[in-house]
Amino acid sequence: MTKTAPLLMRMLMSERIPASAADRDAAVSRITRGREDGALTEREAGDRFDRLDIAATREAVRRALEGLPGVPPAVLVPVRRVVTWVWLGVNVVQIAVWLLMCLIGLHFAPPFWLWSVVGGGLVVAALWLLTESVFRVRG
């Protein structure tokens, strides 16, 4: 489901998406690297591998990785959700106002909403990339 989940669902409810084999492989790689770098003892790594084995969702996989170097804090997931909802809401209102201005005035008004679509979209994209970096394997 991870690959076929709509982008909006991934951005807003990523913790509820079932963990895929690729998510687990990325987590195994991070735990192994943490053990090799000395950030985890054998026992801590084993505990994390055990948690990873029973992890059904991406949130459970994220919890198995908490505290490892390079893993962003879990608090960014709800922050991303709030920022995304605010961004979407602001853009819907602005586009509706713009359309009304064009229809009522019977002329094309410059699309002022582009600033918030692009600027806010960049912020949402940056948060998304940061929070999803947990599930990417670095070479």
Side-chain angles (χ1 to χ4, degrees):
M1 180 171 167
T2 302
K3 290 187 183 212
T4 60
L7 179 61
L8 190 58
M9 181 180 174
R10 289 182 60 131
M11 288 170 50
L12 297 175
M13 308 302 276
S14 65
E15 68 276 4
R16 293 184 184 169
I17 294 175
S20 68
D23 296 337
R24 292 175 194 281
D25 291 344
V28 166
S29 174
R30 282 188 179 267
I31 294 170
T32 303
R33 191 173 334 125
R35 184 181 59 205
E36 291 168 353
D37 293 344
L40 296 173
T41 64
E42 289 293 326
R43 181 181 174 139
E44 290 171 331
D47 290 344
R48 288 174 187 255
F49 284 132
D50 291 343
R51 281 190 271 161
L52 193 58
D53 286 340
I54 61 171
T57 63
R58 295 183 89 193
E59 181 60 27
V61 171
R62 185 184 307 275
R63 275 188 258 124
L65 298 173
E66 282 180 349
L68 285 174
V71 175
V75 71
L76 288 179
V77 174
V79 167
R80 180 188 66 198
R81 185 179 311 115
V82 169
V83 169
T84 302
W85 276 114
V86 169
W87 174 69
L88 288 172
V90 165
N91 288 314
V92 165
V93 169
Q94 285 186 345
I95 292 170
V97 167
W98 175 75
L99 284 172
L100 286 173
M101 286 172 48
C102 290
L103 292 173
I104 291 171
L106 296 174
H107 74 283
F108 179 77
F112 59 86
W113 46 266
L114 282 175
W115 291 101
S116 60
V117 167
V118 173
L122 290 173
V123 171
V124 169
L127 283 170
W128 186 77
L129 288 172
L130 182 62
T131 56
E132 292 297 304
S133 67
V134 170
F135 303 106
R136 287 192 300 274
V137 179
R138 294 191 177 122

